[in-house]
Amino acid sequence: MKVAVLGAGAIGAYVGAALHRAGADVHLIARGPHLAAMRRHGVRVRSPRGDFTARAHATDDPAEVGPADYVFLGLKANSYAACGPLIRPLLHESTAVVAAQNGIPWWYFHRHGGPHDGRRIESVDPGGAVSAVLAPERAVGCVVYAATELEAPGVVRHLEGTRFSVGEPGRGVSDRCVRFSEAMRAGGLKCPVEPDLRDDIWVKLLGNISFNPISALSRATMAQMCRHGGTRRVIEIMMSETLAVARALGCEPGVSVERRLAGAERVGDHRTSTLQDLERGKPLELDVLLAAVVELAEITGVPVPTLRTVHALSDLLALRSAA
């Protein structure tokens, strides 16, 4: 199995290292000091489950890699529309693109069935720009429950979690999902193939849609947001509104707001990825987390006043931080 990891940052390099350990032919595509360090020393993983080093091929030139069986997409979702020149050399006619993104994916209504089948979500696929680069037929959905960070160039700190749920947009269990799952499990990760991944998408989104923008607006950690009465109540309402949208689309995430909050509080003083991006001057990945759900609420007629308010505030923050 040949796997190209496009965007081999903290999550991408961690997955690439695990797949390499399992015997897959792995190619890590990155740039800058991180690439230089991986070329010299491999990917060094530091984890409570045991440290290890994977010396997979690393490059900044996808043409050097050529077509792969799977492309694991570790880029932020707001980079997808511009990734055409990078991903095209990695594709053959049956290459699967495993998109490890937070939030609502561009393929959400692909083979969805029902009244919204094939509908494009403008906030995540503006003008079809993402679908033009990443054909929905290639997509294998992936919901990431692992937390990692780049401790230093070439050094991935694994904080918690090893689950990467995968699934087909058209539901069911496909051979390509099973093969990818087997390779991930051989590398020491959990990788269940979900018959309908959309439920998992909403479970993960319950946290991202609330904690990520609120953390950027307040500069607070997970535990601080949970322990402050005011922000905790706002987050509860945001989660409840999100559940209402999910159910209007036929999904049942299977987790209560109380349980989701309790799990988040246990994470402790962790800074969300959105807060980290804000502090580093990087673009904020909020369209797929928040704008998309507001758009879906409009489609389904579900009232989401708190989501709309937080979206307006965080959208202005994103515009100002990008200026």
Side-chain angles (χ1 to χ4, degrees), residues 202-214 222 225-226 231-247 252-253 255-265 290 293 302-304 306-307 310:
W202 287 101
V203 169
K204 179 77 182 292
L205 184 55
L206 280 180
N208 289 143
I209 199 173
S210 50
F211 287 108
N212 287 53
I214 295 295
M222 298 285 280
M225 288 183 282
C226 288
T231 54
R232 187 183 184 96
R233 180 57 183 152
V234 170
I235 287 166
E236 287 175 348
I237 295 169
M238 292 178 75
M239 288 186 177
S240 296
E241 291 179 357
T242 301
L243 280 173
V245 176
R247 288 166 178 154
E252 183 49 66
V255 63
S256 67
V257 169
E258 294 75 19
R259 182 180 165 193
R260 199 69 180 83
L261 275 163
E265 188 169 0
L290 188 47
V293 178
V302 175
V304 289
T306 304
L307 291 180
V310 175

Side-chain angles (χ1 to χ4, degrees), residues 68-70 91-97 138 176 179:
D69 300 309
Y70 295 88
L91 304 177
H92 57 59
E93 64 179 20
S94 60
T95 301
V97 176
R138 293 188 182 275
R176 65 179 183 173
R179 289 195 299 271

Side-chain angles (χ1 to χ4, degrees), residues 73 75-88 91 101 105-107 118-136 287-288:
L73 204 56
L75 303 171
K76 289 292 183 77
N78 48 20
S79 300
Y80 285 3
C83 79
L86 293 173
I87 200 168
R88 284 189 199 104
L91 304 177
Q101 71 160 95
W106 83 100
W107 53 260
R119 182 167 188 152
R120 179 168 52 80
I121 304 172
E122 184 68 22
S123 50
V124 300
D125 189 11
V130 175
S131 294
V133 173
L134 303 172
D287 285 344
V288 296

Side-chain angles (χ1 to χ4, degrees), residues 2-6 8 25-29 56-59 64-65 68:
K2 182 176 180 180
V3 181
V5 179
L6 180 55
D25 177 18
V26 174
H27 303 264
L28 306 173
I29 301 167
H57 173 239
T59 181
E64 185 181 307
V65 176

Side-chain angles (χ1 to χ4, degrees), residues 51 58 81 93-94 106 112-114 119 121 124 126 128 133 149 151 169 200 266 278-280 309:
D51 299 347
E93 64 179 20
S94 60
W106 83 100
H112 180 274
R119 182 167 188 152
I121 304 172
V124 300
V133 173
E149 62 183 21
E151 190 171 87
D200 267 46
R266 285 195 298 271
L278 180 66
E279 292 173 342
R280 294 168 184 166
T309 300

Side-chain angles (χ1 to χ4, degrees), residues 134-167:
L134 303 172
E137 294 79 11
R138 293 188 182 275
V140 168
C142 180
V143 179
V144 178
Y145 292 95
T148 61
E149 62 183 21
L150 279 182
E151 190 171 87
V155 181
V156 175
R157 172 65 62 180
H158 171 230
L159 303 171
E160 63 170 355
T162 61
R163 182 178 162 194
F164 294 76
S165 299
V166 297

Side-chain angles (χ1 to χ4, degrees), residues 30-37 60:
R31 60 187 180 183
H34 179 52
L35 170 61
D60 59 358

Side-chain angles (χ1 to χ4, degrees), residues 10 14 28 41 53 83 102 133 144 175 197 208 210 214 249 262 282 308 310:
Y14 179 60
L28 306 173
H41 307 295
T53 298
C83 79
N102 287 323
V133 173
V144 178
D175 288 343
L197 191 69
N208 289 143
S210 50
I214 295 295
L249 289 168
K282 294 183 177 181
R308 288 182 184 279
V310 175

